[in-house]
Amino acid sequence: MIPAALLLDFGGVLADARDSRRIAPPELVLRIFNLVRGALQPGEIQRGLTDGAEAYSRWRDEDWPDELPQAEVWERFVIRGWPPAAQVPVRGAVAKLSYDWAWRDDWELRPGIPEALAAYTAAGVPLAVVSNTLCGAAHRDFLAKAGVGHLFAVQVYSDEAGVRKPNPQMIWNATDALGVPPSGCWFVGDSRRRDVACARRADVGRAVLMPSGRVDPDDPVLSPEPDVTVEDGHALAQLILQ
């Protein structure tokens, strides 16, 4: 059965970074150091970004979360405790700094993704991105740069939607924009905790898991099983060819 639409997560499904541990890019640290005019040393900035990312990650594991505005992410998790001389210029550059923090120079499309997107497009299946992120603009720009952005009819990002997966509103925003029922769609994610759970809550027709190495809680309620598991984009393309 051909789906009414194919919804895909970004990180771990469409693309991934070669080094997922790169939380505080040196160029971002230097940019903030220049911005605050030496009010903090580079090591202090790096520690603030690293500790802030870990705290933000713990917060993101809450259930049914609303997304925080970019400014609040920086206030709560990064610049709290910084001297005013550092806080003030960062507050004035939150949008640009959030883009730079979200962007990864080493993002690459996962194997088989171009072929999968082409197969579903050829079958007349509309495509949408549904992704949690601090800055959807960075994801949108990468997909355009990779030559596949034009294939997506809709791109829904948590920083723009104000909610995060597993909140089903993320999926409903996409299906509403596409004008299709969730029950007729397939959703592809790399996390049972966020993606498969979101698909179940949204009553999506088929939850597809594409594992990427991310670890889910060992709890069948928090981390439900998918309908099907695929290794990569090549296997995802085979689902529709079947």
Side-chain angles (χ1 to χ4, degrees):
M1 178 178 175
I2 295 179
L6 183 70
L7 318 177
L8 304 104
D9 186 23
F10 178 89
V13 173
L14 291 172
D16 232 339
R18 291 188 296 273
D19 185 2
S20 60
R21 300 166 299 175
R22 193 168 175 264
I23 296 173
E27 57 270 23
L28 177 57
V29 172
L30 180 59
R31 187 168 296 119
I32 295 175
F33 176 72
N34 291 332
L35 183 66
V36 305
R37 298 181 181 274
L40 289 172
Q41 292 302 310
E44 295 174 300
I45 296 169
Q46 183 183 51
R47 184 169 64 252
L49 290 170
T50 301
D51 293 347
E54 292 174 353
Y56 183 36
S57 179
R58 290 192 296 271
W59 175 86
R60 292 199 306 259
D61 283 337
E62 295 179 7
D63 204 26
W64 291 77
D66 290 337
E67 181 60 280
L68 296 177
Q70 292 174 345
E72 189 170 350
V73 172
W74 286 86
E75 290 283 352
R76 286 179 59 172
F77 304 118
V78 182
I79 68 174
R80 177 186 291 181
W82 285 13
Q87 290 181 346
V88 171
V90 167
R91 290 186 184 119
V94 158
K96 181 64 169 68
L97 293 176
S98 296
Y99 183 103
D100 293 342
W101 203 13
W103 179 268
R104 295 290 183 271
D105 289 331
D106 59 347
W107 268 335
E108 294 178 347
L109 293 176
R110 285 198 66 179
I113 283 299
E115 292 82 357
L117 299 180
Y120 284 84
T121 298
V125 178
L127 306 175
V129 181
V130 179
S131 176
N132 292 342
T133 179
L134 177 65
C135 184
H139 291 196
R140 198 175 276 112
D141 286 352
F142 168 78
L143 293 174
K145 181 179 178 181
V148 298
H150 67 285
L151 298 176
F152 296 97
V154 176
Q155 296 187 44
V156 176
Y157 297 107
S158 62
D159 68 308
E160 300 165 357
V163 293
R164 298 180 58 83
K165 296 175 295 183
N167 191 319
Q169 189 63 46
M170 287 286 287
I171 286 177
W172 293 335
N173 284 357
T175 56
D176 286 350
L178 292 171
V180 296
S183 59
C185 299
W186 296 357
F187 181 74
V188 188
D190 70 323
S191 165
R192 290 183 295 136
R193 171 68 181 88
R194 293 176 185 164
D195 298 315
V196 177
C198 188
R200 295 289 181 241
R201 292 173 176 180
D203 193 31
V204 164
R206 198 175 198 185
V208 182
L209 181 68
M210 185 184 295
S212 67
R214 288 172 172 81
V215 179
D216 292 305
D218 189 16
D219 183 326
V221 175
L222 292 176
S223 305
E225 291 296 324
D227 296 304
V228 62
T229 298
V230 296
E231 180 180 353
D232 54 22
H234 296 295
L236 179 61
Q238 288 300 315
L239 289 183
I240 195 168
L241 296 178
Q242 293 170 2

